[in-house]
Amino acid sequence: MQQNQETALDIRGLRTEFKVGGRWYPAVRDLSLDVAENETLAIVGESGSGKSVTALSILRLLPQAGARIGAGEVLFEGRDLTKLSEREMSSVRGNSIAMIFQEPMTSLNPTMTVGEQIAEAITIHRGASQADAMAEALRLLKEVKIPSADSRLHDYPHQFSGGMRQRVMIAMALACRPKVLLADEPTTALDVTIQAQVLMQLDELKEAYGMSVVFITHNLGVVAQIADRVAVMYAGEVVELATVDALFANPAHPYTVALLRTMPRADRATESLEPIPGSVPPVTAMPEGCAYASRCPLKQPSCEDKRPELLPFDGPGHQVRCPVRLEQTRG
Amino acid sequence: MTAGNGALEVRNLAKHFTIGGGLFGPEKKLVRAVNDVSFTVPKGTSLGLVGESGCGKSTVARSLLRLIEPDAGSVVFDGIDVRAAKGAALRQLRRRMQIVFQDPYSSLNPRRTIQQALEEPLRVHRLGTAREIAEKIETAITEVGLPKQALDRYPHEFSGGQRQRIGIARALVLDPELIVADEPVSALDVSVQAQILRVLERLRDKRGLSFLFVSHDLGVVRHFCERVCVMYLGRIVEQGVTAEVFDRPLHPYTKLLRDSSPVPDPTARLTLTKIMGEVPSAANPPPGCTFHPRCVRAAGPCMTDIPALNEHDRGRQAACYHPETWPGLQAVAAAG
Ligand SMILES: Nc1ncnc2c1ncn2[C@@H]1O[C@H](COP(=O)(O)OP(=O)(O)OP(=O)(O)O)[C@@H](O)[C@H]1O
Ligand SMILES: Nc1ncnc2c1ncn2[C@@H]1O[C@H](COP(=O)(O)OP(=O)(O)OP(=O)(O)O)[C@@H](O)[C@H]1O
Ligand SMILES: [Mg+2]
Ligand SMILES: [Mg+2]
């Protein structure tokens, strides 16, 4: 569906490492992903699979010490973000690439009114006058459907509900008309009703601005709701990449299949939930071969020897990192 | 009242809080967190309690165990009046009814091993000799799927899902009959959530435990609970068999909750036609049906009078003047 669009952000061979006990260990391993203009790419995976580290690496917001980008490039508007100076990078942040974090309260300033904060972002990044910036802040609050926006503009963050704060975060992220929006679990803490509103709003705004959205979540229901394409991450790598329809209709990787079986549905009976045995390996104990092998029902002896590659599966743009599955479908 | 059938029976439960009223603070206000809440949990069954943040789910859960004292209503467990219980009788009830919280970390002392954490409730209730205590602890830790070696370790050495298992094990050592679980899986990711639900299911089947299961995830409740109560601003607005309530909701609020729940199917994307506002403040609820400002069906008495929880066919109940209509699902005419 998005094939004809220009690529907005192109991650190639990204490797992000953390220093643990004097040694560097990769938390994101040779990750390649691209997002087109006006496309929503969802990244899904269990806790600890490397979703947040990927987003933080793109914006170079990793901790100062004990973390580094060990390899790869992040191409955006003809430049490699990993090579920019800190000053150049800070003009990219919040300007052309914006991020929404999971916990909105920690990223809002409690001592400034909501209007002042949005206006500040606008004056810093766009050099608008204070009056223009306030007018724009009001427009944005209305755009994210804050009721009685005129008066709420002068309220402080603690006077807003969780859902409203999350929408304020979206308004701030949009203040600079970013080309790319990185949203890290932006709805996980919200009630389903508010989540539904935020998801639909994000989708409308994406269309209106022609933005690219990278949407991080561990909720497959949310993925089905919002994504055009989906990258399933496990132990720091992409194990499956597909359009949203192909992923749900024809999941290829045993991990994707297993994830789909863990989610109980509100709209129909799930006979039995099947938990995935075991857990994601820690970055310090990554196995040699396939990282999922120890939990995998399709495991064969060869799986533990060699790390599998991400290879084309049937259907356009569908890729999977599982030789056993590929063999099954060919044979 | 029924006696000794192992059921939890809650009638007209109410809990109000006062907020503000400090010397220089905002003026004093009454928050009606829980109003006129009634339900029954028969022995060996699970009742779900769903609703948006702030609707009073945790207040109900805590009132049942008198972790907070309710203001009105009755709570009867296995024929015993929980609100009137004192001394030894209350201690006995607190052994039979256990609570599991959402955040397992905050309820575990970081300086005590898991063994010590599990011993504590047994010592408080003076249950058994050292050997019996040791046995109970081993049984409980195995039942939640953790190795015995876990007993010698400290809470920080465990993941969120493992800590939740420890929280459940701690409730189990006392051989409870009823577990009040307040969002026991909400903080966990899907695969760990599935593991914990499995553990709880096994316990329900094996030990015949009853559950009051608080959650805001309709999928989880549909999976785990035979019956469900839907709460809105401190009141139960709908009640019935879970699958029926979610498949054929009577109250427009239940329908809104269901239609907002994302399902893992891109061909079934949400199509909420209208953005349906947010929960009003419990300190300042709207008159009439408190849901009316968000309701597409609101008309006439909805703005002025609180609807009663009326009986419908198939053991359903809904508090709505204009319930959704479904073939074969009518309101039961009031007697007399
Ligand atoms: N500062 C750090 N030092 C060492 N390891 C880290 C650090 N930050 C993250 N990691 C490790 O990197 C891996 C990936 O973490 P990440 O936060 O990206 O997971 P995630 O997929 O976002 O999980 P969640 O769903 O829980 O947010 C984990 O194993 C984590 O422990
Ligand atoms: N100790 C208290 N003092 C004053 N108000 C309180 C107190 N405890 C709860 N409330 C209020 O009572 C109402 C119900 O709160 P409760 O915690 O029971 O909601 P909940 O349904 O459990 O919400 P959540 O899903 O967010 O856990 C809310 O309006 C809350 O602000
Ligand atoms: Mg994360
Ligand atoms: Mg609660």
Side-chain angles (χ1 to χ4, degrees):
Chain A
M1 67 193 67
Q2 247 67 38
Q3 287 94 334
N4 308 324
Q5 300 278 346
E6 296 281 323
T7 299
L9 183 72
D10 192 359
I11 307 167
R12 294 191 185 162
L14 178 71
R15 182 181 176 85
T16 304
E17 301 169 317
F18 292 108
K19 197 171 195 171
V20 183
R23 276 190 60 190
W24 291 95
Y25 296 93
V28 169
R29 308 186 290 155
D30 311 318
L31 178 123
S32 297
L33 274 179
D34 56 66
V35 202
E37 286 175 0
N38 197 28
E39 180 186 47
T40 300
L41 172 78
I43 302 183
V44 67
E46 275 166 287
S47 188
S49 54
K51 307 181 297 290
S52 297
V53 171
T54 301
L56 296 173
S57 304
I58 295 170
L59 279 181
R60 294 187 22 205
L61 290 172
L62 295 161
Q64 299 281 327
R68 70 178 185 199
I69 292 179
E73 21 187 53
V74 178
L75 302 176
F76 177 72
E77 294 185 328
R79 296 188 293 179
D80 178 0
L81 299 185
T82 66
K83 303 278 180 333
L84 298 189
S85 69
E86 185 46 41
R87 250 192 72 198
E88 290 170 313
M89 194 61 219
S90 70
S91 91
V92 170
R93 270 182 226 128
N95 220 347
S96 17
I97 306 182
M99 181 148 176
I100 310 174
F101 297 90
Q102 174 163 358
E103 182 33 72
M105 211 43 193
T106 55
S107 22
L108 288 172
N109 181 340
T111 66
M112 278 169 85
T113 68
V114 161
E116 285 165 358
Q117 294 188 55
I118 303 175
E120 188 185 68
I122 297 168
T123 41
I124 291 175
H125 292 287
R126 284 206 248 150
S129 76
Q130 184 61 26
D132 287 351
M134 258 335 223
E136 176 68 2
L138 177 60
R139 195 189 65 73
L140 285 163
L141 279 190
K142 285 183 175 156
E143 185 150 319
V144 295
K145 312 248 175 22
I146 299 286
S148 6
D150 311 59
S151 60
R152 304 304 312 243
L153 195 62
H154 308 292
D155 283 350
Y156 290 87
H158 74 264
Q159 294 168 286
F160 282 59
S161 71
M164 281 159 79
R165 272 183 227 137
Q166 199 56 280
R167 281 184 267 164
V168 169
M169 287 302 299
I170 295 175
M172 282 180 74
L174 294 177
C176 304
R177 310 259 167 82
K179 298 262 172 30
V180 177
L181 180 65
L182 306 176
D184 190 357
E185 308 253 11
T187 60
T188 305
L190 304 178
D191 276 315
V192 283
T193 48
I194 311 297
Q195 168 169 281
Q197 293 173 16
V198 170
L199 291 181
M200 282 189 292
Q201 236 160 45
L202 263 180
D203 208 45
E204 276 170 27
L205 294 167
K206 179 200 79 170
E207 291 291 331
Y209 289 72
M211 254 184 334
S212 312
V213 179
V214 177
F215 194 102
I216 293 175
T217 178
H218 62 250
N219 185 327
L220 285 158
V222 170
V223 171
Q225 219 22 245
I226 192 156
D228 296 311
R229 272 193 312 139
V230 188
V232 181
M233 272 190 89
Y234 186 78
E237 342 177 271
V238 174
V239 295
E240 182 161 4
L241 186 63
T243 63
V244 71
D245 292 323
L247 189 92
F248 285 89
N250 189 18
H253 199 283
Y255 178 62
T256 312
V257 174
L259 266 187
L260 282 165
R261 291 210 186 113
T262 59
M263 189 178 168
R265 299 175 62 141
D267 64 335
R268 68 165 81 135
T270 26
E271 312 78 56
S272 110
L273 291 185
E274 294 175 43
I276 312 176
S279 53
V280 183
V283 295
T284 47
M286 228 21 105
E288 279 280 298
C290 170
Y292 187 62
S294 66
R295 308 172 75 183
C296 184
L298 300 186
K299 183 180 87 173
Q300 307 207 336
S302 58
C303 296
E304 292 184 312
D305 304 339
K306 193 167 152 271
R307 190 168 151 214
E309 282 177 78
L310 190 64
L311 294 170
F313 191 65
D314 61 351
H318 199 162
Q319 295 179 305
V320 64
R321 194 186 290 278
C322 178
V324 180
R325 274 296 271 150
L326 284 167
E327 191 61 38
Q328 278 180 350
T329 46
R330 271 193 224 110
Chain B
M1 276 260 167
T2 36
N5 57 2
L8 174 73
E9 305 194 343
V10 177
R11 294 291 172 268
N12 313 105
L13 189 74
K15 177 69 195 176
H16 302 165
F17 296 106
T18 38
I19 52 170
L23 204 44
F24 305 104
E27 103 191 61
K28 203 158 160 175
K29 274 210 157 147
L30 192 64
V31 179
R32 298 176 192 277
V34 173
N35 285 300
D36 200 16
V37 161
S38 303
F39 56 80
T40 301
V41 189
K43 185 175 164 49
T45 67
S46 311
L47 176 71
L49 198 55
V50 302
E52 285 164 289
S53 182
C55 71
K57 305 181 294 296
S58 296
T59 306
V60 168
R62 278 150 217 246
S63 304
L64 299 181
L65 305 177
R66 286 175 57 195
L67 298 178
I68 49 181
E69 289 291 341
D71 293 324
S74 74
V75 179
V76 174
F77 179 62
D78 196 24
I80 303 162
D81 183 345
V82 176
R83 289 196 63 201
K86 287 193 188 65
L90 181 60
R91 252 209 327 277
Q92 177 72 353
L93 278 171
R94 288 206 163 132
R95 180 190 68 70
R96 301 173 69 192
M97 303 164 72
Q98 287 292 311
I99 188 160
V100 173
F101 295 104
Q102 167 168 4
D103 176 9
Y105 203 55
S106 61
S107 53
L108 291 170
N109 184 334
R111 277 184 294 277
R112 297 179 140 216
T113 63
I114 305 310
Q115 172 87 30
Q116 289 167 328
L118 298 190
E119 267 170 15
E120 188 196 69
L122 287 164
R123 296 216 188 285
V124 170
H125 288 274
R126 293 188 211 99
L127 290 177
T129 64
R131 233 193 71 203
E132 283 162 352
I133 287 180
E135 266 168 25
K136 275 194 173 34
I137 290 174
E138 266 190 25
T139 313
I141 205 82
T142 332
E143 263 187 312
V144 298
L146 288 175
K148 282 178 214 147
Q149 294 86 304
L151 291 172
D152 303 323
R153 294 163 61 189
Y154 290 87
H156 73 264
E157 299 177 58
F158 295 92
S159 71
Q162 290 170 326
R163 289 198 288 255
Q164 193 55 282
R165 288 165 192 248
I166 294 165
I168 296 168
R170 189 162 65 161
L172 286 180
V173 290
L174 292 170
D175 289 322
E177 291 147 57
L178 171 82
I179 290 192
V180 174
D182 191 357
E183 310 255 11
V185 294
S186 307
L188 307 173
D189 87 25
V190 277
S191 65
V192 182
Q193 169 179 298
Q195 291 171 6
I196 298 289
L197 287 174
R198 262 282 183 86
V199 168
L200 295 178
E201 271 165 1
R202 229 185 17 242
L203 291 169
R204 188 180 50 191
D205 300 343
K206 217 176 105 203
R207 290 196 176 206
L209 283 176
S210 320
F211 284 89
L212 178 74
F213 191 96
V214 174
S215 177
H216 61 256
D217 184 326
L218 271 57
V220 169
V221 167
R222 179 164 193 155
H223 181 73
F224 191 73
C225 305
E226 292 94 329
R227 295 182 64 86
V228 66
C229 291
V230 181
M231 274 186 86
Y232 188 75
L233 273 186
R235 289 176 191 277
I236 291 180
V237 297
E238 177 153 12
Q239 166 156 196
V241 171
T242 313
E244 295 191 15
V245 169
F246 293 168
D247 286 342
R248 301 195 295 171
L250 290 168
H251 200 288
Y253 177 61
T254 310
K255 186 163 182 295
L256 172 69
L257 276 186
R258 182 201 65 182
D259 292 348
S260 308
S261 298
V263 293
D265 179 359
T267 62
R269 291 198 172 185
L270 307 178
T271 47
L272 297 183
T273 43
K274 198 171 140 212
I275 298 256
M276 296 297 294
E278 294 192 21
V279 187
S281 152
N284 196 10
C289 170
T290 50
F291 185 61
H292 87 256
R294 301 170 77 189
C295 186
V296 278
R297 302 169 78 90
C302 305
M303 285 56 163
T304 48
D305 300 320
I306 298 177
L309 193 59
N310 287 322
E311 302 283 335
H312 290 250
D313 292 333
R314 309 177 64 80
R316 300 273 301 272
Q317 295 183 329
C320 179
Y321 291 112
H322 308 291
E324 306 280 334
T325 49
W326 301 98
L329 202 57
Q330 262 88 48
V332 176

